[in-house]
């Protein structure tokens, strides 16, 4: 896994937040987590990746951040549905960015949105994930990347 | 076509033709007989009229007799007789010979010659009576005087009264006979109709039963064939379907196909729709081009079978969790011909995932064992126990590093602090790796350090600048994992023969330090000799041994890199080309341990410290101006401080001294640095000391 690959996924999220009214989005220092203890907030948008790298990338955020995100985009209806939609939109941006960066060699799935505890995200238990915190306003969300090279 | 149709349905066609023929003949006979009956009816009618005419003739005779006095009435009566006689005569001869006569309605009616025996007798007898009767009646009509008329009348009346009843009876016989004939014809017609219709019905039922049975039989055959096909398609383990030349999948396909592709209702989909979401665009494009070739008549299939891009293809089926399930499918294509033209392509899909995974695992195992051998070679020279301690240390350090990375921080200052904190750990990993000559660890840690320096040099740093660090962190973790696996294995059978550092520490020879001096001085292209004393004489706790070892390693590296000059420089300074490092361990009192490391090098260059301090940006020139020599030298214990011109494997980290200071402080010890320009440097560490329990005992 190279830092360039990681960057492609982060850029997707950062770009998304740059388009909100509060452009001040910061990336925290990335760290590793064991997949036995995944980092998950209230809502998560997951995309599958296949090709030279395989695995899962997800964007996860607390409800309050997503509510504010909706408001900052001019959406005053902060229902559960809308929150799931916005998570899906961020995940879509990640997958869209990945598609344009990685091109034909990769397959990027349509995002799946879930609400709830970490148990609902299935990842290879023996692997580690990269967690990249995203700070926006007073909140923090994260992009979590668990990819392994197909050749090994 | 017609022939085969006849062949298959010959019986049916013949039966239907027979049915129609029967119907047609009944119809024809019906026509024929009904015309005859119509003729007979008019015959009956006219013969009845003859009866009436015979009586009218008599009546006319009497009419004439009464009208003798009145010429007008006489004429009328004569005229009527004339008409009656003519009509009777022509009709009778028509019955005799066959001719056309005037009917009751004044229209001409054709009468057939009577043929039946009784009718014939009646007509012949009538003719015999009629002949003289007719002459007498014609005589009455001749233009004669009244007297003569009276004479002829009495002759005629007398003949009439004699024969009238006979004639009437004969005409009556004729009528009855004609009626009989007509009636028998009608009966015949009914019989013919009944028989014809019965035959037609029988034929119809034969057709019905025969045809229905055949239909039912062939339906059953079709149904059982269909059932067999379905059974085959339901049980076969391969994905089977037909593809037409528009790349549309057939409506029938094996049921395992739905399972394989996790899709329903595949029939009617195009191949592109089926594959579009599960293979990469690149694979999809090549597959489409290949299938187009399959439908080209001018290309031989065995020529292109090698080109099949779907012979082993990775498909990625997204599940409800958003993950991809990776499978490997193998597609084979067989052309299906009809009338020598390619009609469809039979596609067979096999799930070869297990085979591919097995192949991969085999390759992976091979690769892993190669990598293990590589790792093994790199650690083989090191003592397993020491290595285990080291690896454990590395894991601890790396998890500390990860914990540091994990702390939330957004500002530049906070991130820089993180960098420094991380550097401490990584530098230690690197330093210890050098002491154990673990080149692989040293290399990764060195790259890690380089990354840290690159980030530090940036004007402003953000979280994403840390990406290379976390990538290296993972690399280190992975490497440490593979080394740990190996050391565990090694330790299990190498415990009997400890070697290298641990032994060298335990047996008091501390030979690994000589190795370190050797390695580092070679890399620095310097000549250095090491003199050790007292190390074996005092029994130390594990903790102290580790600290003294670390100080020695750090000190040796500092001395070789920073202190001792190159052989040329030394010769110029009349020092002799080889430098010397003295390591000494002694007890200065019963409760204090003194450890010192001394070199005969250049000494600490306060100008370089100053310059480095300014460069680091942590101190201003004004601040530094206020520092005395001692304070200036103490800067070497500041985190991340280094005077090296560039970061190399042996130097430029600058965290080593910082770490040592921390550890010494933790043991309530003291560090003293003495340095004289051109003479050398001596670092002394004094630590409160209690001899270990075992030793005391």
């Amino acid at each position: 896994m190279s830092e360039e690959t990681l960057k492609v996924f982060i850029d997707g999220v950062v770009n998304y937040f740059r388009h909100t009214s509060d452009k001040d989005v910061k990336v925290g220092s990335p760290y590793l987590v064991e997949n036995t203890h995944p980092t998950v907030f209230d809502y998560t948008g997951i995309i599958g990746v296949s090709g030279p790298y395989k695995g899962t990338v997800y964007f996860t955020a607390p409800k309050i951040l997503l509510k504010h995100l909706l408001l900052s985009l001019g959406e005053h209806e902060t229902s559960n549905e809308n929150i799931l939609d916005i998570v899906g939109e961020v995940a879509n941006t990640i997958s869209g960015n990945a598609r344009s960066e990685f091109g034909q060699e990769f397959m990027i799935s349509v995002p799946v949105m879930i609400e709830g505890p970490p148990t609902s995200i299935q990842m290879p238990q023996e692997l580690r994930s990269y967690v990249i915190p995203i700070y926006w306003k007073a909140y923090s969300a994260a992009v979590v990347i668990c990819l392994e090279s197909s050749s090994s | 076509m017609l022939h085969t149709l006849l062949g298959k349905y010959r019986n049916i066609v013949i039966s239907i033709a027979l049915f129609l023929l029967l119907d047609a003949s009944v119809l024809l006979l019906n026509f024929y007989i009904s015309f005859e009956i119509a003729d007979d009816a008019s015959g009956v009618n006219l013969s009845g009229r003859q009866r009436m005419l015979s009586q009218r003739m008599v009546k006319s005779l009497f009419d004439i007799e009464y009208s003798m006095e009145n010429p007008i009435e006489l004429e009328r009566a004569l005229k009527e007789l004339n008409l009656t006689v003519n009509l009777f005569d022509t009709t009778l001869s028509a019955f005799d010979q066959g001719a056309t006569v005037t009917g009751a309605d004044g229209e001409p009616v054709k009468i057939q010659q009577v043929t039946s025996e009784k009718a014939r007798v009646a007509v012949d007898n009538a003719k015999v009576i009629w002949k003289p009767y007719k002459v007498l009646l014609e005589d009455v009509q001749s233009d004669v005087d009244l007297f003569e008329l009276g004479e002829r009348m009495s002759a005629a009346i007398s003949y009439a009264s004699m024969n009238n009843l006979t004639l009437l009876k004969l005409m009556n016989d004729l009528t009855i006979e004609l009626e009989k004939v007509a009636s028998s014809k009608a009966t015949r017609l009914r019989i013919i109709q009944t028989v014809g219709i019965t035959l037609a019905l029988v034929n119809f039922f034969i057709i019905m039963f025969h045809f229905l049975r055949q239909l039912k039989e062939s339906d059953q055959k079709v149904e059982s064939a269909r059932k067999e096909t379905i059974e085959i398609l339901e049980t076969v383990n391969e994905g089977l379907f037909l593809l037409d030349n528009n790349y549309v999948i057939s409506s029938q396909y094996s049921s395992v196909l739905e399972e394989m592709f996790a899709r329903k209702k595949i029939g009617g989909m195009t191949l592109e729709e089926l594959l579009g979401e599960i293979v990469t665009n690149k694979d999809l494009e090549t597959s489409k081009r290949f299938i187009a070739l399959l439908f080209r008549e001018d290309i031989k299939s065995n020529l292109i079978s090698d080109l099949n891009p779907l012979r082993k293809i990775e498909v990625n089926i997204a599940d409800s969790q958003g993950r991809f399930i990776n499978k490997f499918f193998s597609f084979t294509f067989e052309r299906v011909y009809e009338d020598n033209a390619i009609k469809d392509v039979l596609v067979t899909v096999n799930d070869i995932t297990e085979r591919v995974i097995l192949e991969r695992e085999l390759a992976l195992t091979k690769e892993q064992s190669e990598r293990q051998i590589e790792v093994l070679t790199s650690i083989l020279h090191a003592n397993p126990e020491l290595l285990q301690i080291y690896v454990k240390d590395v894991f601890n350090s790396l998890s500390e590093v990860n914990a540091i990375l994990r702390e939330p921080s957004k500002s530049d200052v906070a991130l820089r602090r993180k960098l420094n904190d991380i550097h401490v750990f990584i530098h230690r990993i690197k330093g210890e790796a050098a002491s154990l000559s673990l080149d692989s660890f040293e290399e990764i840690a060195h790259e890690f350090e380089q990354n840290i320096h690159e980030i530090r040099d940036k004007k402003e740093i953000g979280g994403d600048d840390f990406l290379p660090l976390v990538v290296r962190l993972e690399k280190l973790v992975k490497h440490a994992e593979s080394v740990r696996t190996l050391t565990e294995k090694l330790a299990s059978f190498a415990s009997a023969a400890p070697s290298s550092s641990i032994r060298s520490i335990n047996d008091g020879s501390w030979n690994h330090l000589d190795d370190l001096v050797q390695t580092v001085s070679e890399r620095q292209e310097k000549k250095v000799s090491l003199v050790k004393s007292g190390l074996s004489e005092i029994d130390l706790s594990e903790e102290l041994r580790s600290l003294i070892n670390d100080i020695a390693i750090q000190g040796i590296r500092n001395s070789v890199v920073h202190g001792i000059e190159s052989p040329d420089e030394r010769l110029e300074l009349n020092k002799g080309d080889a430098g010397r490092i003295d390591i000494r361990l002694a007890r200065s009192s019963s409760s204090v341990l003194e450890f010192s490391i001394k070199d005969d090098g250049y000494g600490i260059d306060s100008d370089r410290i100053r310059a480095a301090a300014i460069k680091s940006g942590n101190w201003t020139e004004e601040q530094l101006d206020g520092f005395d020599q001692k304070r200036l030298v103490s800067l070497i214990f500041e985190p991340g401080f280094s005077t090296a011109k560039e970061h190399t494997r042996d130097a430029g980290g600058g965290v080593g001294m910082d770490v040592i200071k921390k550890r010494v402080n933790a043991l309530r010890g003291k560090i003293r640095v003495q340095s004289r320009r051109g003479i050398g440097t001596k670092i002394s560490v004094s630590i409160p000391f209690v001899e270990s329990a075992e030793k005391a005992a």
Side-chain angles (χ1 to χ4, degrees), chain B residues 467-518:
Chain B
L467 286 174
L469 300 190
V470 79
V471 171
R472 299 272 179 265
L473 178 68
E474 208 209 353
K475 200 172 164 185
L476 262 175
V477 173
K478 274 189 178 162
H479 186 65
E481 275 173 348
S482 55
V483 171
R484 179 169 59 187
T485 317
L486 273 173
T487 49
E488 277 164 3
K489 275 187 203 163
L490 277 177
S492 64
F493 50 74
S495 52
S499 65
S500 190
S501 320
I502 285 267
R503 192 180 57 194
S504 80
I505 292 175
N506 289 349
D507 69 7
S509 68
W510 292 68
N511 284 338
H512 66 285
L513 295 181
D514 298 291
D515 295 344
L516 180 67
V517 170
Q518 184 74 17

Side-chain angles (χ1 to χ4, degrees), chain A residues 28-124:
Chain A
S29 59
Y31 58 93
L32 299 172
V33 287
E34 299 291 332
N35 282 351
T36 43
H37 299 89
T39 299
V40 173
F41 294 109
D42 306 335
Y43 291 87
T44 306
I46 311 166
I47 58 171
V49 177
S50 188
Y53 288 113
K54 289 189 201 317
T56 306
V57 174
Y58 64 82
F59 169 74
T60 182
K63 192 171 186 174
I64 181 82
L65 180 147
L66 296 165
K67 276 192 173 179
H68 263 94
L69 184 57
L70 278 170
L71 293 173
S72 83
L73 291 167
E75 174 60 64
H76 296 286
E77 180 60 52
T78 57
S79 65
N80 214 31
E81 247 172 59
N82 278 353
I83 290 177
L84 279 171
D85 279 354
I86 198 87
V87 170
E89 228 181 285
V90 179
N92 248 328
T93 317
I94 300 175
S95 80
N97 198 50
R99 266 194 207 110
S100 64
E101 288 290 326
F102 295 142
Q104 292 219 326
E105 299 275 325
F106 277 83
M107 291 207 54
I108 313 284
S109 80
V110 177
V112 169
M113 279 76 75
I114 58 163
E115 177 189 355
T119 47
S120 43
I121 297 179
Q122 302 285 324
M123 311 255 268

